[in-house]
Amino acid sequence: MTAPLLDARALVVRFGGVTALDGLDLSVHTGETVGLIGPNGSGKTTFFNALTGFVRVAGGRAQLAGADITGLEPRRIAAFGIARTFQRLRLLLDLSVFDNLMLGQHLTLDHGPWSSLFARGRFAAAVRGQADVARTLLAAFSPGLPARLFEPARALTMIDRRRVEICRALIREPALLLLDEPSAGMTPDETAELMTDLLAVKAQRPALTVVIIEHDMGVIERVSDRCVVLDYGRKLAEGSYAEVAADPVVRRAYLGED
Amino acid sequence: MDPGLLAQHVFNGLMLGVIYALVAVGFTLFFGVMDVIKFSHGDVVMLGAFTALAVAAGLTGMGVTSHPLMLLGMLVVALGLMAVVGALLARLLVLPLRGAPAINVLLITLMAGTVIREGVRLFYPQGSNPKPFPRLLPGGTVEIGSFTLRHDSAILFVIGVAAIVGVHLTLARTRLGLAIRAVAQDPETASAMGIPFTATVLATFAIGSALAALAGVVNGLYYSEISFNLGLLLGAIGFSAAVVGGLGNVYGAILGGFLFAALQTIGAVALPFASAYKDVFAFAAVIVLMALRPAGLLAERSAERV
């Protein structure tokens, strides 16, 4: 088998006396969609935060396509091709939908202080090109969204905000997309719709690699090629959804069954 | 009132408003990205004016007599140097205190302002005396009825408005502007998008301080005189304007600048007592405004921040 895209080895994260990640090994191959599940506090979001440089890694290492990204600043890790969403939605609500999507493009748009400040013509041309890209991407999630490109994100409904946040992560065509509970705060119907859109977007990008944290087991069953179950910051089980769901250890820890 | 005289007062008010807006925008930008009040800002305005004065003296000493050339040299050096000073103040005093109580930054920049002010008073030749500022702009006037428009004032007004429009365009339409707005709203999300926090903060302080230098030079050219303590009042006015407009909101700061100038003008013109009380009237009105609208005219939450 080829080398994994993401390779985390023995990751350790501590918050004071609490060990949130306790030597976690997890690797993900290019094009895979991995569902990350586990009880509250099992270290799922902490794993994302460790990968993206939002918390300090106390031990172990993480590699993306062979490059060591352990302990780098978030902005450096972003440049390696990791994009993420947040469980507590973090769109910049006072900015327009378009500005939020432009932020997602920050790394690839017009480098250098000179072009940032003075080359307005080139920036504007890039912006026009990006507006088309943004509209296409938004349309994949909702036909009504492209028309609202220049409205403030605050004006959108919860599900539209969630869609825009995913678009913001997708727009720079990351190698690895980390989705932190995209269904949080949404109705089952909205969740189903979002997952359909997500699968369609994924189908267009066979090389896109996704790790998705979810509490909704239906979502995990539907979208993931492989499941990883965390408990107390360690890997409890791994395999297909059916295998994991049938695992008695998982049922005891996660589903609270005896 | 005679319409010509009224126009005169309105223009004078607008002229002051531009200067105040330039200062207020700095306060609001700094608050936007770092949630701090940088109280040395008024003294950076003053230092910018004295830098320009020193450049004028230097160029005169070198035999340069062309007024446009002198003006260009003064602006380039004063704005450039104050941008560096602003970035240095951010790097050395503001960024290291990130996470400390905001009151510490307030105190430390208050002291830095005193150091700058006393430094100019002690080390600039006869720094404690008011200094004549060279009149470099054409001195003619246009008379429309009883309204007299001085050429130099008109030019200064245009320069100031152009700078304010420039700030707006930078924030609204450039990659750096978007980075500044993103850092102001949520530095963590911004970093996840690949935006460098420190560089963005330094750029913001550089821009705000260059605007302060411009305010200082415009102020000097308008009044033809500067003194080492001009930053005290201009700083207080700029800060008030930024707060009245809604701290963190650039358009609020601009509005606040013009509003304060309007209040001063009304205080000087419409009230029965002497114009010496115009500042008392304007600041009193600000106090009343703050009591009525504690979050400022364009409160941060309802309008786009930075």
Side-chain angles (χ1 to χ4, degrees), chain A:
Chain A
M1 213 170 177
T2 53
L5 174 73
L6 173 70
D7 193 22
R9 293 259 168 252
L11 274 186
V12 177
V13 172
R14 291 196 189 91
F15 299 120
V18 181
T19 304
L21 282 188
D22 190 6
L24 179 66
D25 294 320
L26 207 161
S27 53
V28 183
H29 286 269
T30 303
E32 244 189 330
T33 300
V34 171
L36 199 55
I37 58 180
N40 281 330
S42 59
K44 304 183 298 293
T45 296
T46 303
F47 175 61
F48 278 12
N49 286 340
L51 285 184
T52 50
F54 278 73
V55 295
R56 216 176 66 82
V57 175
R61 60 168 179 77
Q63 288 188 328
L64 189 79
D68 196 339
I69 56 167
T70 327
L72 296 181
E73 284 177 75
R75 68 182 179 102
R76 301 235 178 263
I77 292 171
F80 276 94
I82 299 185
R84 68 174 293 183
T85 67
F86 297 87
Q87 186 181 352
R88 255 192 70 243
L89 202 85
R90 285 177 90 160
L91 278 185
L92 303 186
L93 294 177
D94 291 337
L95 299 190
S96 68
V97 170
F98 182 64
D99 279 345
N100 271 285
L101 295 179
M102 289 292 284
L103 276 182
Q105 284 282 58
H106 185 82
L107 284 164
T108 45
L109 262 181
D110 244 31
H111 278 268
W114 180 263
S115 59
S116 303
L117 260 184
F118 300 105
R120 291 234 311 112
R122 255 198 300 151
F123 187 78
V127 165
R128 273 194 296 279
Q130 285 313 310
D132 293 335
V133 173
R135 284 198 184 90
T136 312
L137 196 55
L138 289 171
F141 284 89
S142 166
L145 268 180
R148 311 188 67 179
L149 195 55
F150 294 101
E151 288 182 32
R154 191 179 293 287
L156 302 181
T157 59
M158 190 65 182
I159 182 172
D160 277 345
R161 290 181 189 181
R162 190 70 75 178
R163 286 166 169 152
V164 171
E165 200 195 29
I166 293 171
C167 288
R168 183 176 70 182
L170 272 172
I171 198 164
R172 72 179 124 110
E173 299 293 340
L176 178 63
L177 175 64
L178 306 176
L179 297 172
D180 194 348
E181 239 187 281
S183 77
M186 301 203 322
T187 67
D189 285 349
E190 287 173 338
T191 304
E193 203 185 318
L194 185 67
M195 291 308 137
T196 307
D197 299 335
L198 207 56
L199 286 172
V201 165
K202 173 78 180 76
Q204 289 171 352
R205 296 167 175 75
L208 177 65
T209 310
V210 182
V211 181
I212 178 170
I213 294 176
E214 255 310 335
H215 273 125
D216 184 333
M217 297 308 287
V219 168
I220 291 291
E221 182 174 15
R222 210 173 138 204
V223 303
S224 60
D225 305 318
R226 187 157 61 92
C227 281
V228 173
V229 187
L230 298 191
D231 198 21
Y232 295 107
R234 253 174 286 180
K235 189 155 69 185
L236 190 66
E238 185 172 8
S240 73
Y241 176 79
E243 287 165 7
V244 164
D247 190 325
V249 180
V250 174
R251 296 184 75 86
R252 201 158 44 241
Y254 191 38
L255 304 172
E257 291 181 10
D258 293 315

Side-chain angles (χ1 to χ4, degrees), chain B residues 138-166:
Chain B
T141 57
V142 182
E143 312 262 347
I144 309 160
S146 52
F147 173 49
T148 307
L149 178 62
R150 281 164 50 188
H151 288 160
D152 55 354
S153 301
I155 293 169
L156 288 174
F157 183 71
V158 170
I159 291 175
V161 170
I164 289 170
V165 171

